[in-house]
Amino acid sequence: MNRREFCKKSLLIAGGLVVPLSALELFNPERLLAEKNDKSKTRWVFLVDTHKCVGCGFCVKACKTENEVPYDANVTRTWVERYVITNDGKAHIDSPKGARDGFQSAKLDQNHAGMEEIKEEDIAKAFFVPKLCNQCENPPCVQVCPVGATYKTNNGVVLVDRKWCIGCGYCIMGCPYSVRFFHPVYHVAEKCNFCYHRISQGMKTACVDACPFGARQIGNLKDPKDPVTKVIMNERVNVLKDEYGTKPQVFYIGLPREVK
Amino acid sequence: MVHGEFWTIKEFFVYPNEYIYWSIQIVMYPFMTGLVAGAFVLSSLYHVFGVEKLKDIARFSLVFSFALLPTAMMPLLLHLQQPLRGIEVMMTPHFTSAIAAFGIVFSTYGMIVAAEIWFVYRKFFVEAALALREKQNKTTLETLKSKLYPILTLGAWDISEHALEADERAVKRLAAIGIPVACFLHGYAGFIFGSVKANALWMTPLMPVIFICSAVVSGIALCILTYVITMELRKILYARKRKNDPALPTNDELKSVEIHVVTMTCKYLVMFLILAISLEILDLVFRTYTAVKSWDILRAVIYEKDFVKIFIMQYGLGNLVPFILLLSPGLTIRRAILATILVLLGVFMMRWNIVIGGQAFSASFSGFMEYVLPIIPHDMETFKEGLFGALMVIITPFVLFFGLSNIMPVFVNKSDTH
């Protein structure tokens, strides 16, 4: 056999092997079975009643403790924003340390621009809005992950595989809600996962349990008897930034137009 | 400290988890990839379209493009939080992601450039290997080379007229395939940014095209600059060596920079520069005119926060001034050098203004973030994503080029024919 023939034959064998092997990927039997009988009876969703939130920050504190996000690190899986709308229609917003310690000052923390004082008579309205991962139906973070380290479970929650994430930050860039960050200890992408370890064991999320006013609720959208489902179906609820086509699954009661 | 916190200054309302996550290395990535693609396109102008005047610079820019290649990947690895897992992009690519194809596109392109170089230099490898085989009393370097060259020939020792013609045909074909692949490699870098729907500044379908045009501009500029500098350096080095060994070629025999090569190359540079600027202006006009929801904050970034970086450094110094320098009659080599340096600055600033500028505002559209480049590093992170990390990326291709030019003759003396 001369060199030319050798090259030809080895290419042929390699090519010949690729075809049957790729069939295994195309017709992955496990996946076919899973897609055929989608028995998932759960679609986790979240409901926030902004009228009930007082900005105490218990949810943020509970979340950080439960999910081992370093307490003093300036990142958080969930946070609360304070909105102060003045009479001229302008929105003044802040969230000092994600409201981990609540809002202890009447002045608004504008970061490098300092503390902003607003006279009481100038205030038209003020309210608090808790934020967390929207567990989107069409999650851009999952789409852009180059290695498939972040994925959507069949009950709708988006998870991150800490052993597989390469830390490129593309998912952080791709999220319109900026819920993602790099975990200061594990150095991989990190986000709210509705306390997946808790909800899959029949418990509620840490933030829901910590909220003294019932502003936060978690439910199963596929269960018509679930009180959260009833509210979402029957009441007037809204979602954040639906113009991005992400189909967010955190629903808000009384979401004012000023909310970013 | 959280990643990004050290170099980010927040102003007004910014979401708690927002920082400048993509820093200087991500500015370097499209900049270096652009240089790779541009250098290759320049060499292809001769190989494919037979632009004879570019013959001298073609071989040079091909080898330079190869030396630049690893530095397209280096910044990406340097910015990863888990650099050791970088290989996963090749092992488990997740193809809905724009980054996933990087490994494939990048290695395809690398193989094309390597193969083209091999065909261009095969005759030389054979001749050098044969000459060294004959030679007695070899120096250490020569012994090393006498081992290396036979390997580089890959066992193809035939340098008959017929075989060399086949080589030339192969070079032409590879260069022809290489152009779209080089454009794809870079256009794709543009797509990585252009497809991020969460970022108001990045999301435009024009991004890949703008990236390709500015890539070619910067690649050509760097080739002209390096070509002139190395030609001059060679003269100085030879002058010094000639004191000990008068047999070395004199300054007249060494080919010097030919003004017609520079003029011709600059013409292509101006062409691509016009294209790049037109597209960028179109993008800006379109954004101003349509004024969608994000325009208020973008306007504040473009016309106020980043005004100096965009309008003075990028458009003014980086585009307008070199434009005048290159188009005024009677181009001299000195003026061309000044122009190419400014063009490189302009393209670098364009990358900066897109990558850093895209993170200069909060996704809430209610606050700003400013990037402070770490200069003196105090840990690995501030080294990698600071001034010194960036300098390391810039220096690498020149070191590699020096190594490669010792193995493959990039320059030709006047008496040589090729």
Side-chain angles (χ1 to χ4, degrees), chain A residues 74-76 81 110-112 142-146 162 164-168 170 173 179 181 186-187 241 243-244 260, chain B residues 5 10 12 15-19 21-22 79 81-82 85 88 92 94 96-97 99 192 197-198 293 359 363-364 366:
Chain A
N74 286 321
V75 280
T76 175
E81 291 164 8
Q110 297 297 293
N111 291 300
H112 201 60
V142 172
Q143 183 189 28
V144 301
C145 177
R162 279 184 186 161
W164 208 248
C165 171
I166 61 173
C168 67
Y170 206 16
M173 290 295 144
V179 300
F181 53 94
Y186 302 109
H187 300 288
K241 301 188 184 183
E243 66 271 24
Y244 289 100
K260 310 284 180 187
Chain B
E5 197 177 356
K10 295 182 177 185
F12 304 114
Y15 291 129
N17 297 329
E18 276 186 302
Y19 293 99
Y21 287 104
W22 282 3
H79 115 280
Q81 289 291 290
Q82 300 284 349
R85 295 182 190 168
E88 284 173 17
T92 59
H94 182 238
T96 57
S97 166
I99 298 183
I192 289 179
K197 62 181 169 189
K293 194 176 171 188
Q359 299 169 80
S364 66
S366 303

Short mmCIF file of all heavy atoms in Angstrom, two decimals, chain A residues 74-76 81 110-112 142-146 162 164-168 170 173 179 181 186-187 241 243-244 260, chain B residues 5 10 12 15-19 21-22 79 81-82 85 88 92 94 96-97 99 192 197-198 293 359 363-364 366:
data_model
loop_
_atom_site.label_atom_id
_atom_site.label_comp_id
_atom_site.label_asym_id
_atom_site.label_seq_id
_atom_site.Cartn_x
_atom_site.Cartn_y
_atom_site.Cartn_z
N ASN A 74 -20.59 42.02 47.11
CA ASN A 74 -21.59 42.90 46.52
C ASN A 74 -22.28 42.29 45.29
O ASN A 74 -22.36 42.91 44.23
CB ASN A 74 -20.95 44.24 46.15
CG ASN A 74 -20.70 45.07 47.38
OD1 ASN A 74 -21.53 45.08 48.31
ND2 ASN A 74 -19.57 45.73 47.43
N VAL A 75 -22.72 41.07 45.46
CA VAL A 75 -23.54 40.40 44.44
C VAL A 75 -24.62 39.64 45.18
O VAL A 75 -24.43 39.27 46.34
CB VAL A 75 -22.72 39.41 43.59
CG1 VAL A 75 -21.93 40.10 42.52
CG2 VAL A 75 -21.80 38.56 44.45
N THR A 76 -25.74 39.40 44.53
CA THR A 76 -26.82 38.72 45.21
C THR A 76 -27.76 38.08 44.20
O THR A 76 -27.95 38.58 43.11
CB THR A 76 -27.57 39.70 46.14
OG1 THR A 76 -28.69 39.03 46.69
CG2 THR A 76 -28.03 40.94 45.41
N GLU A 81 -35.53 46.69 44.92
CA GLU A 81 -35.26 48.05 44.44
C GLU A 81 -36.27 49.01 45.05
O GLU A 81 -37.44 48.66 45.23
CB GLU A 81 -35.37 48.10 42.91
CG GLU A 81 -34.27 47.34 42.22
CD GLU A 81 -34.56 47.05 40.75
OE1 GLU A 81 -35.57 47.57 40.22
OE2 GLU A 81 -33.79 46.29 40.14
N GLN A 110 -26.82 56.63 45.28
CA GLN A 110 -26.58 56.75 43.83
C GLN A 110 -25.15 56.35 43.46
O GLN A 110 -24.58 56.87 42.51
CB GLN A 110 -26.88 58.18 43.38
CG GLN A 110 -28.33 58.59 43.58
CD GLN A 110 -29.28 57.74 42.73
OE1 GLN A 110 -29.29 57.81 41.52
NE2 GLN A 110 -30.09 56.91 43.40
N ASN A 111 -24.58 55.45 44.25
CA ASN A 111 -23.22 54.97 44.01
C ASN A 111 -22.22 56.11 43.99
O ASN A 111 -22.15 56.88 44.94
CB ASN A 111 -23.15 54.13 42.74
CG ASN A 111 -23.90 52.82 42.91
OD1 ASN A 111 -23.56 52.03 43.77
ND2 ASN A 111 -24.92 52.60 42.11
N HIS A 112 -21.49 56.25 42.87
CA HIS A 112 -20.43 57.25 42.80
C HIS A 112 -20.99 58.68 42.87
O HIS A 112 -20.29 59.61 43.27
CB HIS A 112 -19.65 57.08 41.50
CG HIS A 112 -18.29 57.68 41.55
ND1 HIS A 112 -17.32 57.29 42.47
CD2 HIS A 112 -17.72 58.67 40.82
CE1 HIS A 112 -16.23 58.02 42.29
NE2 HIS A 112 -16.43 58.85 41.31
N VAL A 142 -29.22 30.43 28.38
CA VAL A 142 -29.03 29.05 27.96
C VAL A 142 -28.61 29.02 26.49
O VAL A 142 -27.73 28.26 26.10
CB VAL A 142 -30.34 28.24 28.16
CG1 VAL A 142 -30.23 26.86 27.54
CG2 VAL A 142 -30.66 28.13 29.64
N GLN A 143 -29.23 29.90 25.71
CA GLN A 143 -28.90 29.96 24.29
C GLN A 143 -27.42 30.28 24.06
O GLN A 143 -26.77 29.68 23.22
CB GLN A 143 -29.76 31.02 23.60
CG GLN A 143 -29.53 31.10 22.10
CD GLN A 143 -30.24 32.29 21.45
OE1 GLN A 143 -30.45 33.32 22.08
NE2 GLN A 143 -30.60 32.14 20.21
N VAL A 144 -26.87 31.22 24.83
CA VAL A 144 -25.52 31.70 24.52
C VAL A 144 -24.40 30.92 25.21
O VAL A 144 -23.24 31.11 24.88
CB VAL A 144 -25.35 33.20 24.86
CG1 VAL A 144 -26.33 34.03 24.09
CG2 VAL A 144 -25.46 33.45 26.35
N CYS A 145 -24.72 30.01 26.14
CA CYS A 145 -23.65 29.27 26.82
C CYS A 145 -22.90 28.39 25.81
O CYS A 145 -23.50 27.53 25.18
CB CYS A 145 -24.20 28.40 27.94
SG CYS A 145 -22.90 27.43 28.72
N PRO A 146 -21.59 28.62 25.64
CA PRO A 146 -20.86 27.89 24.60
C PRO A 146 -20.62 26.42 24.90
O PRO A 146 -20.28 25.66 24.00
CB PRO A 146 -19.53 28.63 24.49
CG PRO A 146 -19.36 29.33 25.78
CD PRO A 146 -20.73 29.59 26.33
N ARG A 162 -21.85 23.93 37.95
CA ARG A 162 -20.61 24.57 38.43
C ARG A 162 -19.37 23.80 38.02
O ARG A 162 -18.28 24.34 38.01
CB ARG A 162 -20.64 24.66 39.96
CG ARG A 162 -21.43 25.82 40.45
CD ARG A 162 -21.34 25.90 41.96
NE ARG A 162 -22.22 26.94 42.45
CZ ARG A 162 -22.63 27.01 43.70
NH1 ARG A 162 -22.23 26.11 44.57
NH2 ARG A 162 -23.41 27.99 44.08
N TRP A 164 -18.95 22.50 35.06
CA TRP A 164 -18.75 22.56 33.62
C TRP A 164 -18.61 23.98 33.08
O TRP A 164 -18.12 24.19 31.97
CB TRP A 164 -19.91 21.83 32.90
CG TRP A 164 -19.47 21.28 31.59
CD1 TRP A 164 -19.86 21.68 30.35
CD2 TRP A 164 -18.51 20.23 31.37
NE1 TRP A 164 -19.22 20.96 29.38
CE2 TRP A 164 -18.38 20.06 29.98
CE3 TRP A 164 -17.73 19.43 32.22
CZ2 TRP A 164 -17.52 19.13 29.42
CZ3 TRP A 164 -16.88 18.50 31.65
CH2 TRP A 164 -16.78 18.35 30.26
N CYS A 165 -19.05 24.99 33.87
CA CYS A 165 -19.00 26.39 33.42
C CYS A 165 -17.54 26.82 33.25
O CYS A 165 -16.70 26.56 34.11
CB CYS A 165 -19.69 27.27 34.46
SG CYS A 165 -19.48 29.03 34.17
N ILE A 166 -17.23 27.46 32.11
CA ILE A 166 -15.86 27.89 31.85
C ILE A 166 -15.62 29.34 32.32
O ILE A 166 -14.50 29.82 32.28
CB ILE A 166 -15.46 27.74 30.37
CG1 ILE A 166 -16.35 28.61 29.46
CG2 ILE A 166 -15.51 26.29 29.94
CD1 ILE A 166 -15.90 28.62 28.00
N GLY A 167 -16.70 30.01 32.70
CA GLY A 167 -16.55 31.38 33.21
C GLY A 167 -16.28 32.41 32.13
O GLY A 167 -15.47 33.30 32.32
N CYS A 168 -16.94 32.28 30.97
CA CYS A 168 -16.69 33.25 29.90
C CYS A 168 -17.52 34.51 30.09
O CYS A 168 -17.17 35.57 29.58
CB CYS A 168 -16.97 32.64 28.53
SG CYS A 168 -18.70 32.24 28.22
N TYR A 170 -20.56 35.08 28.99
CA TYR A 170 -21.49 35.39 27.90
C TYR A 170 -22.93 35.38 28.40
O TYR A 170 -23.74 36.20 27.98
CB TYR A 170 -21.30 34.37 26.77
CG TYR A 170 -21.69 34.86 25.39
CD1 TYR A 170 -21.87 36.21 25.10
CD2 TYR A 170 -21.86 33.96 24.33
CE1 TYR A 170 -22.21 36.64 23.84
CE2 TYR A 170 -22.19 34.38 23.06
CZ TYR A 170 -22.38 35.72 22.82
OH TYR A 170 -22.71 36.13 21.55
N MET A 173 -23.72 38.58 30.11
CA MET A 173 -23.97 39.63 29.13
C MET A 173 -25.34 39.45 28.47
O MET A 173 -25.98 40.41 28.07
CB MET A 173 -22.90 39.57 28.03
CG MET A 173 -21.55 39.98 28.48
SD MET A 173 -21.59 41.70 28.93
CE MET A 173 -20.51 41.70 30.29
N VAL A 179 -29.43 39.29 36.30
CA VAL A 179 -29.54 38.50 37.53
C VAL A 179 -28.29 37.65 37.75
O VAL A 179 -28.09 37.08 38.81
CB VAL A 179 -30.78 37.58 37.55
CG1 VAL A 179 -32.03 38.39 37.43
CG2 VAL A 179 -30.71 36.52 36.47
N PHE A 181 -24.11 36.64 37.87
CA PHE A 181 -22.82 37.20 38.29
C PHE A 181 -21.84 36.05 38.46
O PHE A 181 -22.23 34.89 38.36
CB PHE A 181 -22.97 37.98 39.60
CG PHE A 181 -23.63 37.19 40.70
CD1 PHE A 181 -22.86 36.49 41.63
CD2 PHE A 181 -25.01 37.13 40.82
CE1 PHE A 181 -23.46 35.75 42.64
CE2 PHE A 181 -25.62 36.38 41.83
CZ PHE A 181 -24.84 35.69 42.74
N TYR A 186 -16.57 30.13 43.81
CA TYR A 186 -16.43 29.07 42.80
C TYR A 186 -15.94 29.60 41.44
O TYR A 186 -15.56 28.82 40.58
CB TYR A 186 -17.75 28.33 42.62
CG TYR A 186 -18.24 27.71 43.91
CD1 TYR A 186 -19.35 28.23 44.58
CD2 TYR A 186 -17.57 26.64 44.47
CE1 TYR A 186 -19.79 27.67 45.77
CE2 TYR A 186 -17.99 26.08 45.67
CZ TYR A 186 -19.10 26.60 46.31
OH TYR A 186 -19.52 26.06 47.49
N HIS A 187 -16.00 30.90 41.23
CA HIS A 187 -15.57 31.53 39.98
C HIS A 187 -16.27 30.95 38.74
O HIS A 187 -15.63 30.66 37.73
CB HIS A 187 -14.04 31.44 39.82
CG HIS A 187 -13.32 32.12 40.94
ND1 HIS A 187 -13.30 33.48 41.07
CD2 HIS A 187 -12.64 31.62 41.99
CE1 HIS A 187 -12.62 33.79 42.16
NE2 HIS A 187 -12.23 32.69 42.74
N LYS A 241 -39.74 43.53 31.28
CA LYS A 241 -39.05 43.57 29.99
C LYS A 241 -39.48 42.47 29.02
O LYS A 241 -38.64 41.70 28.55
CB LYS A 241 -37.53 43.45 30.22
CG LYS A 241 -36.96 44.55 31.09
CD LYS A 241 -35.44 44.47 31.09
CE LYS A 241 -34.86 45.50 32.04
NZ LYS A 241 -33.42 45.53 32.05
N GLU A 243 -40.24 42.86 26.09
CA GLU A 243 -39.85 43.20 24.71
C GLU A 243 -38.64 42.41 24.23
O GLU A 243 -38.34 42.37 23.05
CB GLU A 243 -39.58 44.72 24.59
CG GLU A 243 -38.38 45.25 25.36
CD GLU A 243 -38.72 45.69 26.78
OE1 GLU A 243 -39.72 45.20 27.34
OE2 GLU A 243 -37.96 46.52 27.33
N TYR A 244 -37.94 41.74 25.16
CA TYR A 244 -36.78 40.96 24.75
C TYR A 244 -37.15 39.55 24.27
O TYR A 244 -36.29 38.77 23.88
CB TYR A 244 -35.76 40.87 25.89
CG TYR A 244 -35.05 42.17 26.16
CD1 TYR A 244 -35.43 42.99 27.22
CD2 TYR A 244 -34.00 42.59 25.35
CE1 TYR A 244 -34.78 44.19 27.46
CE2 TYR A 244 -33.36 43.79 25.58
CZ TYR A 244 -33.74 44.59 26.64
OH TYR A 244 -33.11 45.76 26.87
N LYS A 260 -37.76 49.44 36.04
CA LYS A 260 -36.81 49.09 34.98
C LYS A 260 -36.53 47.60 35.00
O LYS A 260 -36.37 47.02 36.03
CB LYS A 260 -35.50 49.86 35.20
CG LYS A 260 -35.69 51.34 35.43
CD LYS A 260 -36.00 52.06 34.15
CE LYS A 260 -36.17 53.55 34.41
NZ LYS A 260 -36.63 54.27 33.23
N GLU B 5 -15.51 44.07 40.29
CA GLU B 5 -15.75 45.17 41.24
C GLU B 5 -14.56 46.12 41.32
O GLU B 5 -14.74 47.34 41.45
CB GLU B 5 -16.05 44.59 42.63
CG GLU B 5 -16.71 45.57 43.56
CD GLU B 5 -17.08 44.96 44.91
OE1 GLU B 5 -16.88 43.74 45.09
OE2 GLU B 5 -17.56 45.71 45.77
N LYS B 10 -19.54 52.65 39.59
CA LYS B 10 -20.96 52.78 39.26
C LYS B 10 -21.44 54.19 39.58
O LYS B 10 -20.99 54.80 40.54
CB LYS B 10 -21.78 51.78 40.08
CG LYS B 10 -21.50 50.32 39.75
CD LYS B 10 -22.39 49.43 40.59
CE LYS B 10 -22.18 47.96 40.23
NZ LYS B 10 -23.11 47.07 40.94
N PHE B 12 -25.21 56.53 39.70
CA PHE B 12 -26.67 56.48 39.71
C PHE B 12 -27.14 55.04 39.92
O PHE B 12 -26.42 54.24 40.51
CB PHE B 12 -27.26 57.12 38.46
CG PHE B 12 -26.80 58.54 38.28
CD1 PHE B 12 -26.00 58.90 37.22
CD2 PHE B 12 -27.13 59.51 39.21
CE1 PHE B 12 -25.55 60.20 37.06
CE2 PHE B 12 -26.69 60.82 39.08
CZ PHE B 12 -25.89 61.16 38.00
N TYR B 15 -28.04 47.89 38.49
CA TYR B 15 -28.45 46.66 39.16
C TYR B 15 -27.30 46.13 40.02
O TYR B 15 -26.13 46.24 39.62
CB TYR B 15 -28.84 45.58 38.15
CG TYR B 15 -30.11 45.85 37.37
CD1 TYR B 15 -30.11 45.77 35.98
CD2 TYR B 15 -31.28 46.18 38.01
CE1 TYR B 15 -31.27 46.01 35.25
CE2 TYR B 15 -32.46 46.42 37.28
CZ TYR B 15 -32.44 46.33 35.91
OH TYR B 15 -33.58 46.57 35.19
N PRO B 16 -27.60 45.52 41.17
CA PRO B 16 -26.51 45.11 42.09
C PRO B 16 -25.47 44.18 41.47
O PRO B 16 -24.31 44.23 41.83
CB PRO B 16 -27.26 44.38 43.21
CG PRO B 16 -28.66 44.84 43.12
CD PRO B 16 -28.93 45.24 41.72
N ASN B 17 -25.89 43.31 40.52
CA ASN B 17 -24.93 42.35 39.97
C ASN B 17 -24.19 42.86 38.74
O ASN B 17 -23.41 42.13 38.14
CB ASN B 17 -25.64 41.05 39.59
CG ASN B 17 -26.25 40.38 40.79
OD1 ASN B 17 -25.72 40.50 41.90
ND2 ASN B 17 -27.36 39.69 40.61
N GLU B 18 -24.46 44.09 38.35
CA GLU B 18 -23.82 44.60 37.13
C GLU B 18 -22.42 45.13 37.42
O GLU B 18 -22.23 45.97 38.30
CB GLU B 18 -24.67 45.72 36.52
CG GLU B 18 -25.78 45.20 35.65
CD GLU B 18 -26.50 46.33 34.94
OE1 GLU B 18 -27.02 47.23 35.63
OE2 GLU B 18 -26.52 46.33 33.71
N TYR B 19 -21.46 44.62 36.66
CA TYR B 19 -20.09 45.14 36.67
C TYR B 19 -19.58 45.10 35.25
O TYR B 19 -20.23 44.53 34.37
CB TYR B 19 -19.20 44.29 37.59
CG TYR B 19 -19.57 44.38 39.04
CD1 TYR B 19 -20.33 43.39 39.64
CD2 TYR B 19 -19.19 45.48 39.80
CE1 TYR B 19 -20.72 43.49 40.96
CE2 TYR B 19 -19.56 45.58 41.13
CZ TYR B 19 -20.32 44.59 41.71
OH TYR B 19 -20.71 44.70 43.02
N TYR B 21 -17.89 43.11 33.23
CA TYR B 21 -17.39 41.74 33.26
C TYR B 21 -16.43 41.48 32.10
O TYR B 21 -15.52 40.68 32.20
CB TYR B 21 -18.54 40.75 33.19
CG TYR B 21 -19.34 40.67 34.49
CD1 TYR B 21 -20.58 41.26 34.61
CD2 TYR B 21 -18.81 40.00 35.59
CE1 TYR B 21 -21.30 41.19 35.78
CE2 TYR B 21 -19.53 39.92 36.77
CZ TYR B 21 -20.76 40.52 36.86
OH TYR B 21 -21.47 40.44 38.04
N TRP B 22 -16.68 42.14 30.97
CA TRP B 22 -15.81 41.96 29.81
C TRP B 22 -14.87 43.15 29.72
O TRP B 22 -15.27 44.24 29.33
CB TRP B 22 -16.64 41.82 28.52
CG TRP B 22 -17.23 40.45 28.40
CD1 TRP B 22 -17.14 39.43 29.31
CD2 TRP B 22 -17.99 39.93 27.30
NE1 TRP B 22 -17.80 38.32 28.84
CE2 TRP B 22 -18.33 38.60 27.62
CE3 TRP B 22 -18.43 40.46 26.10
CZ2 TRP B 22 -19.08 37.79 26.77
CZ3 TRP B 22 -19.17 39.66 25.25
CH2 TRP B 22 -19.48 38.33 25.58
N HIS B 79 -9.21 35.78 29.79
CA HIS B 79 -10.36 36.37 30.47
C HIS B 79 -11.26 35.32 31.11
O HIS B 79 -12.08 35.65 31.95
CB HIS B 79 -11.13 37.30 29.53
CG HIS B 79 -12.52 36.84 29.21
ND1 HIS B 79 -12.75 35.88 28.25
CD2 HIS B 79 -13.73 37.15 29.72
CE1 HIS B 79 -14.04 35.66 28.19
NE2 HIS B 79 -14.66 36.39 29.07
N GLN B 81 -12.82 32.70 33.58
CA GLN B 81 -12.69 32.50 35.01
C GLN B 81 -12.13 31.10 35.29
O GLN B 81 -11.53 30.85 36.32
CB GLN B 81 -14.06 32.64 35.68
CG GLN B 81 -14.58 34.06 35.72
CD GLN B 81 -13.78 34.92 36.66
OE1 GLN B 81 -13.86 34.75 37.86
NE2 GLN B 81 -12.99 35.83 36.12
N GLN B 82 -12.36 30.17 34.35
CA GLN B 82 -11.86 28.80 34.49
C GLN B 82 -11.05 28.47 33.24
O GLN B 82 -11.49 27.68 32.39
CB GLN B 82 -13.03 27.83 34.62
CG GLN B 82 -13.93 28.06 35.82
CD GLN B 82 -13.31 27.60 37.12
OE1 GLN B 82 -12.29 26.92 37.13
NE2 GLN B 82 -13.91 28.00 38.23
N ARG B 85 -10.66 25.00 31.75
CA ARG B 85 -11.80 24.34 31.13
C ARG B 85 -12.06 24.85 29.72
O ARG B 85 -13.03 24.44 29.08
CB ARG B 85 -13.06 24.56 31.97
CG ARG B 85 -12.98 23.93 33.34
CD ARG B 85 -14.29 24.17 34.07
NE ARG B 85 -14.19 23.78 35.47
CZ ARG B 85 -15.10 24.10 36.37
NH1 ARG B 85 -16.15 24.80 36.04
NH2 ARG B 85 -14.95 23.71 37.62
N GLU B 88 -13.23 22.78 26.77
CA GLU B 88 -14.61 22.27 26.67
C GLU B 88 -15.35 22.84 25.47
O GLU B 88 -16.25 22.21 24.94
CB GLU B 88 -15.39 22.62 27.94
CG GLU B 88 -15.04 21.75 29.11
CD GLU B 88 -15.70 22.23 30.38
OE1 GLU B 88 -16.64 23.02 30.29
OE2 GLU B 88 -15.26 21.82 31.46
N THR B 92 -17.35 19.88 24.04
CA THR B 92 -18.82 19.85 24.12
C THR B 92 -19.40 21.17 23.63
O THR B 92 -20.01 21.90 24.39
CB THR B 92 -19.30 19.61 25.57
OG1 THR B 92 -18.77 20.69 26.38
CG2 THR B 92 -18.86 18.30 26.12
N HIS B 94 -21.82 23.86 22.33
CA HIS B 94 -23.27 24.00 22.43
C HIS B 94 -23.65 24.97 21.33
O HIS B 94 -23.49 26.19 21.47
CB HIS B 94 -23.60 24.56 23.83
CG HIS B 94 -25.05 24.72 24.10
ND1 HIS B 94 -25.60 25.93 24.43
CD2 HIS B 94 -26.07 23.84 24.08
CE1 HIS B 94 -26.90 25.78 24.62
NE2 HIS B 94 -27.20 24.52 24.41
N THR B 96 -26.01 26.49 19.88
CA THR B 96 -26.88 27.67 19.81
C THR B 96 -26.09 28.91 20.23
O THR B 96 -26.54 30.02 20.06
CB THR B 96 -28.11 27.53 20.72
OG1 THR B 96 -27.63 27.28 22.05
CG2 THR B 96 -29.00 26.39 20.28
N SER B 97 -24.89 28.70 20.79
CA SER B 97 -24.08 29.83 21.23
C SER B 97 -23.13 30.26 20.13
O SER B 97 -22.53 29.42 19.45
CB SER B 97 -23.27 29.44 22.46
OG SER B 97 -22.26 30.39 22.69
N ILE B 99 -20.31 31.59 20.53
CA ILE B 99 -18.91 31.31 20.87
C ILE B 99 -18.54 29.85 20.56
O ILE B 99 -17.39 29.54 20.31
CB ILE B 99 -18.63 31.60 22.37
CG1 ILE B 99 -18.86 33.08 22.67
CG2 ILE B 99 -17.20 31.25 22.74
CD1 ILE B 99 -18.53 33.49 24.09
N ILE B 192 -20.74 37.66 17.69
CA ILE B 192 -20.77 37.40 19.12
C ILE B 192 -21.33 38.60 19.87
O ILE B 192 -22.13 38.47 20.78
CB ILE B 192 -19.35 37.05 19.64
CG1 ILE B 192 -18.93 35.68 19.14
CG2 ILE B 192 -19.29 37.10 21.18
CD1 ILE B 192 -17.56 35.23 19.57
N LYS B 197 -28.94 40.37 22.52
CA LYS B 197 -30.12 41.23 22.48
C LYS B 197 -30.26 42.05 23.75
O LYS B 197 -30.93 43.07 23.75
CB LYS B 197 -31.37 40.41 22.21
CG LYS B 197 -31.71 39.38 23.26
CD LYS B 197 -32.97 38.62 22.85
CE LYS B 197 -33.19 37.41 23.73
NZ LYS B 197 -34.28 36.56 23.22
N ALA B 198 -29.61 41.61 24.83
CA ALA B 198 -29.72 42.35 26.08
C ALA B 198 -28.92 43.64 26.05
O ALA B 198 -29.09 44.49 26.92
CB ALA B 198 -29.26 41.48 27.24
N LYS B 293 -36.26 53.03 22.68
CA LYS B 293 -36.24 53.19 24.14
C LYS B 293 -34.83 53.43 24.70
O LYS B 293 -34.64 54.23 25.60
CB LYS B 293 -36.83 51.92 24.74
CG LYS B 293 -37.19 52.04 26.21
CD LYS B 293 -37.84 50.73 26.66
CE LYS B 293 -38.02 50.70 28.17
NZ LYS B 293 -38.48 49.38 28.62
N GLN B 359 -20.79 48.36 27.89
CA GLN B 359 -21.04 48.08 29.31
C GLN B 359 -20.99 49.36 30.13
O GLN B 359 -20.97 49.31 31.36
CB GLN B 359 -19.99 47.11 29.84
CG GLN B 359 -20.00 45.78 29.12
CD GLN B 359 -18.79 44.94 29.49
OE1 GLN B 359 -18.76 44.31 30.52
NE2 GLN B 359 -17.78 44.96 28.64
N ALA B 363 -28.24 48.02 32.38
CA ALA B 363 -29.36 47.47 31.62
C ALA B 363 -30.67 48.07 32.10
O ALA B 363 -31.70 47.92 31.47
CB ALA B 363 -29.39 45.96 31.76
N SER B 364 -30.63 48.79 33.24
CA SER B 364 -31.83 49.48 33.72
C SER B 364 -32.00 50.81 32.99
O SER B 364 -33.01 51.48 33.18
CB SER B 364 -31.70 49.73 35.22
OG SER B 364 -30.66 50.66 35.47
N SER B 366 -30.69 53.42 33.73
CA SER B 366 -30.80 54.49 34.73
C SER B 366 -29.47 54.83 35.38
O SER B 366 -29.44 55.58 36.34
CB SER B 366 -31.79 54.08 35.82
OG SER B 366 -33.02 53.77 35.26
#
